Amino acid sequence: MSSEHTARFTLDPAFSVSPVDERIFGSFVEHLGRCVYEGVYEPGHESADEAGLRTDVLELVRELGVTAIRYPGGNFVSGYKWEDSVGPRDERPRRLDLAWKSTESNRFGLSEFVDFVRKVGGTPMMAVNLGTRGVGEAIELQEYANHQGGTALSDLRAAHGDKDPFDIRLWCLGNELDGPWQTGHKTADEYGRLAAETARAMRQIDPDVELVACGSSNQAMPTFAAWESTVLEHTYDLVDHISLHAYYYPRDGDVDSFIASAVDTESFIENVVATADHVGAKLKSDKRINLSFDEWNVWYQDGSGPKLSDEPPSEDWAEAPRLLEDNYTVTDAVVVGSLLIALLRHADRVKVACQAQLVNVIAPIATVPGGPAWRQTIFHPFAQASRHGRGTVLDVRPQSPTHTTAKYGEVDLLHATAVRDEETGAVTVFAVNRGRESELPLEVALNNLGLTELVEHSVLADADPDARNTADDPDRVAPHAGTGATLADGVLKATLEPLSWNVFRLA
Ligand code: AHR
């Protein structure tokens, strides 16, 4: 193949983006469908521990390597009464969940969530309800969760069996309040004022909490950018992060644009950074607002695409109905890999990110009630990125052959990033070949990195791009060893299979 068909870039430790905040490998547990019930929590299951948590799921969550775990929603949080979810289980009320037209039993609540997060080695990221509630309920929840003792609410927590505070450091000020579907939907000014007053009160309890203001539900929202600008004008000195949410699927069957979804992710990030910095400049502030990309994933929002089960949809107001149970393909896994690359490439400003969600609901882990748990295709790129993507992101500016997509025009076939472990000097290169038809030759010049050994080339690709993992065939799709890659004279050379996610580990 001639050299113009080769994708190339140079790595040099003198050109780095930023250390990775490990919370970029976060996840999300919402009271939605079977994420909580039959997902993380199934007391009757043979693997359940004394708290009713499925230990087979706990093991997979640890293997996945998730860090911050956002809870309890999502749209659910906009009707959430935290008091319902604490205290003796049998006394907890059943409630209508307007967001998902379900019935919430509250058998899993705040204490169970914190127990779950501790067992998987994560950190809690708690959302407060700014849809149907406000400042008062937010600070009551904060007092219940975090105050040491000697007040009504902290003593109530102790009486409920949790003597030690939960010490939740990271809080979301509501969820997607720009969206007309949100219970308690608001204008940017209404939300900005409420978020500012809530943040101010929460900081009166604890000046060091880390707070996330709601940004737009996606970049295509009609209020995008104006929303961020207005909200930040109200909250700039009071919050640490602004949120971003984005979901992708092949709209109108346009697979090439779907594979290039990270083009949207990266422009979304860059546009939010520009907007936040514009507000900072107007306010003559030295402070920089960071980004919490706290919902991202592939989600077939039109209902197309295979599902985990063929069961017909449940009636309205069912408990833990099967909702949003996408069964992911190889193509979806490559897109998820590319979205992870997009987040890492912007590690200077994206400090928190949560794949939505963790179990069953648009999730990397799937379960059968009373049966096994298994890894969906998208589990693999996330687990590899979390395991090998810790360190400092190096600047990657590829020269790549391109192809044309309907949605994004001309797009590089190569999408890549690299992360250097500062202690060992090891470097991991993550690379996606977006082309469905052809292999992509890759050459990476490794300057001043002292790298001599190719430890591993792992590939996720398949002759059948629609191949999936199912309960009956849970390991149909998994990474395999690549062939033919070499590292000599400071140059990594490899050939990327068509439509592939690749991990090169160099020491
Ligand atoms: O993750 C599913 C839903 O997507 C969340 O509840 C909501 O915040 C978003 O619209």
Side-chain angles (χ1 to χ4, degrees):
M1 193 165 280
S2 67
S3 60
E4 67 270 22
H5 293 123
T6 299
R8 304 167 195 282
F9 59 88
T10 298
L11 296 178
D12 191 311
F15 302 104
S16 64
V17 176
S18 163
V20 176
D21 187 321
E22 65 171 27
R23 297 174 303 175
I24 212 171
F25 302 112
S27 189
F28 179 28
V29 170
E30 175 167 5
H31 283 257
L32 193 184
R34 299 189 311 123
C35 184
V36 170
Y37 306 105
E38 297 180 5
V40 300
Y41 177 76
E42 191 178 343
H45 193 272
E46 62 175 13
S47 80
D49 68 8
E50 70 296 342
L53 300 173
R54 284 183 62 147
T55 55
D56 56 347
V57 172
L58 293 179
E59 265 170 48
L60 286 174
V61 175
R62 286 186 205 109
E63 181 186 328
L64 186 61
V66 303
T67 52
I69 305 182
R70 185 165 173 255
Y71 177 83
N75 296 341
F76 173 82
V77 79
S78 292
Y80 176 58
K81 295 177 82 171
W82 68 267
E83 311 90 303
D84 292 348
S85 81
V86 298
R89 274 214 185 95
D90 294 337
E91 293 169 23
R92 295 183 194 169
R94 294 164 61 78
R95 297 274 186 204
L96 291 185
D97 162 21
L98 307 192
W100 302 107
K101 270 200 182 305
S102 308
T103 296
E104 174 54 53
S105 69
N106 283 305
R107 299 194 75 75
F108 183 98
L110 181 56
S111 172
E112 291 79 20
F113 168 66
V114 172
D115 179 45
F116 164 72
V117 172
R118 287 182 183 147
K119 283 175 178 160
V120 298
T123 53
M125 178 181 191
M126 188 77 197
V128 300
N129 175 358
L130 294 188
T132 59
R133 305 189 115 190
V135 184
E137 294 89 351
I139 54 174
E140 284 166 8
L141 168 56
Q142 187 186 4
E143 179 186 331
Y144 179 93
N146 284 1
H147 194 66
Q148 193 65 38
T151 65
L153 289 172
S154 54
D155 289 348
L156 183 64
R157 183 197 64 239
H160 288 159
D162 289 298
K163 187 170 175 306
D164 293 332
F166 296 144
D167 194 26
I168 300 171
R169 312 305 317 152
L170 183 57
W171 297 81
C172 303
L173 300 168
N175 177 70
E176 290 190 353
L177 287 146
D178 64 320
W181 60 84
Q182 198 71 210
T183 312
H185 163 58
K186 294 176 174 47
T187 65
D189 268 314
E190 288 165 348
Y191 170 70
R193 281 272 301 137
L194 178 58
E197 293 313 326
T198 306
R200 213 184 310 276
M202 292 182 78
R203 291 202 187 284
Q204 282 180 301
I205 295 184
D206 178 354
D208 297 327
V209 281
E210 222 177 313
L211 300 176
V212 183
C214 287
S216 295
S217 303
N218 60 69
Q219 184 163 221
M221 292 297 288
T223 49
F224 172 62
W227 171 276
E228 279 75 1
S229 175
T230 303
V231 166
L232 286 174
E233 284 186 15
H234 285 287
T235 60
Y236 202 87
D237 291 332
L238 295 162
V239 303
D240 303 284
H241 311 268
I242 182 107
S243 73
L244 297 81
H245 293 178
Y247 294 101
Y248 303 98
Y249 69 99
R251 284 171 200 262
D252 307 319
D254 180 0
V255 178
D256 282 332
S257 297
F258 171 54
I259 294 166
S261 292
V263 173
D264 175 78
T265 315
E266 296 207 26
S267 83
F268 191 10
I269 291 169
E270 287 157 19
N271 288 334
V272 173
V273 166
T275 306
D277 289 353
H278 169 75
V279 176
K282 262 170 79 176
L283 298 175
K284 307 196 169 26
S285 173
D286 292 333
K287 177 178 173 181
R288 284 287 166 267
I289 297 287
N290 285 319
L291 274 50
S292 172
F293 213 128
D294 47 43
E295 287 187 33
W296 66 268
N297 207 350
V298 171
W299 172 10
Y300 286 70
Q301 286 175 303
D302 62 354
S304 67
K307 300 286 172 271
L308 296 178
S309 157
D310 298 330
E311 281 177 29
S314 310
E315 305 266 295
D316 282 353
W317 311 116
E319 258 183 71
R322 286 186 179 269
L323 294 174
L324 283 53
E325 297 202 352
D326 288 349
N327 186 196
Y328 291 110
T329 65
V330 170
T331 306
D332 299 330
V334 173
V335 172
V336 162
S338 184
L339 300 179
L340 285 158
I341 288 172
L343 296 170
L344 285 167
R345 287 174 60 81
H346 293 83
D348 54 334
R349 296 300 285 270
V350 179
K351 298 298 175 187
V352 181
C354 305
Q355 188 180 38
Q357 299 193 359
L358 185 56
V359 189
N360 289 328
V361 175
I362 45 172
I365 298 169
T367 67
V368 175
W374 77 96
R375 301 167 191 80
Q376 291 235 52
T377 57
I378 63 169
F379 182 100
H380 297 291
F382 190 105
Q384 291 181 310
S386 179
R387 195 171 319 127
H388 303 300
R390 313 286 178 107
T392 297
V393 177
L394 300 177
D395 200 8
V396 170
R397 302 194 179 199
Q399 287 177 294
S400 170
T402 60
H403 71 168
T404 303
T405 63
K407 185 159 185 195
Y408 303 113
E410 199 174 339
V411 166
D412 280 356
L413 287 170
L414 176 72
H415 191 215
T417 190
V419 182
R420 179 167 190 254
D421 180 328
E422 295 294 349
E423 271 173 36
T424 64
V427 169
T428 301
V429 173
F430 301 103
V432 158
N433 176 5
R434 287 170 168 150
R436 288 191 283 159
E437 308 301 334
S438 308
E439 295 179 333
L440 180 65
L442 172 68
E443 284 186 20
V444 185
L446 306 162
N447 288 358
N448 306 314
L449 287 159
L451 299 166
T452 53
E453 188 193 352
L454 174 60
V455 179
E456 181 187 22
H457 173 201
S458 165
V459 185
L460 195 139
D462 201 285
D464 176 6
D466 297 325
R468 301 175 273 138
N469 292 338
T470 60
D472 294 334
D473 195 358
D475 297 314
R476 163 68 185 81
V477 179
H480 57 265
T483 53
T486 59
L487 170 52
D489 304 325
V491 180
L492 168 70
K493 291 187 183 175
T495 302
L496 309 185
E497 292 181 36
L499 188 61
S500 60
W501 154 260
N502 301 265
V503 181
F504 298 93
R505 291 173 50 220
L506 318 172

